[in-house]
């Protein structure tokens, strides 16, 4: 496979992973997988959360793609899977740096004052404004809508009785 084809597969996979992450967050983590995700929405002083198990699932997917790229397809391997595994790995690194590092400040303290970093932090704070798995906004991890639009969505959800907000966040 040419280096350009491999790079293309990696980039498409990284971009597609935001959609996969959004859907997984909305329909799995805030659905039947709430048992693992709940503690992420609750205050605690623990270094780890059950929610961190989702990172292990992501790593297992990446490793499985690497393995299939090497040994899958009746032992012959399927090279594109290797590059898809690299894309999943890169998305995981980006997610970890932004979500765990910047947003939740698990490793460093930095409060962005403007730009993309401020927007992504605000969007995630609005995601955490809800008290339960129902309703909510901003299920993506790297792409975020404007905070004003998210606040309006939360306000509509609250007025419709679909969601309870923490300390009247909106």
């Amino acid at each position: 496979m040419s280096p350009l084809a491999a790079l293309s597969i990696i980039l498409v996979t990284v971009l597609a992973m935001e959609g996969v992450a959004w859907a997984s967050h909305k329909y799995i983590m805030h659905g039947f997988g709430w048992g693992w995700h709940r503690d992420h929405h609750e205050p605690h002083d623990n270094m780890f959360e059950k929610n961190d198990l989702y990172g292990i699932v992501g790593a297992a997917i990446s490793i499985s793609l690497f393995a299939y790229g090497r040994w899958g397809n009746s032992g012959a391997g399927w090279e594109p899977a290797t590059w898809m595994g690299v894309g999943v790995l890169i998305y995981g690194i980006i997610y970890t740096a932004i979500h765990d590092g910047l947003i939740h400040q698990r490793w460093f303290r930095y409060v962005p004052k403007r730009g993309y970093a401020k927007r992504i932090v605000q969007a995630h704070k609005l995601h955490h404004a809800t008290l339960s798995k129902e309703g909510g906004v901003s299920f993506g991890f790297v792409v975020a809508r404007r905070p004003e639009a998210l606040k309006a969505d939360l306000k509509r959800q609250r007025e419709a009785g679909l969601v309870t907000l923490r300390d009247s966040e909106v």
Side-chain angles (χ1 to χ4, degrees), residues 64 79 95 106 118 133:
S64 296
E79 188 177 0
Y95 161 83
R106 288 173 94 171
K118 180 178 180 180
K133 70 179 186 174

Side-chain angles (χ1 to χ4, degrees), residues 20 29 38 41 55 61 118:
V20 170
M29 294 178 189
R38 174 182 297 144
H41 283 263
I61 291 168
K118 180 178 180 180

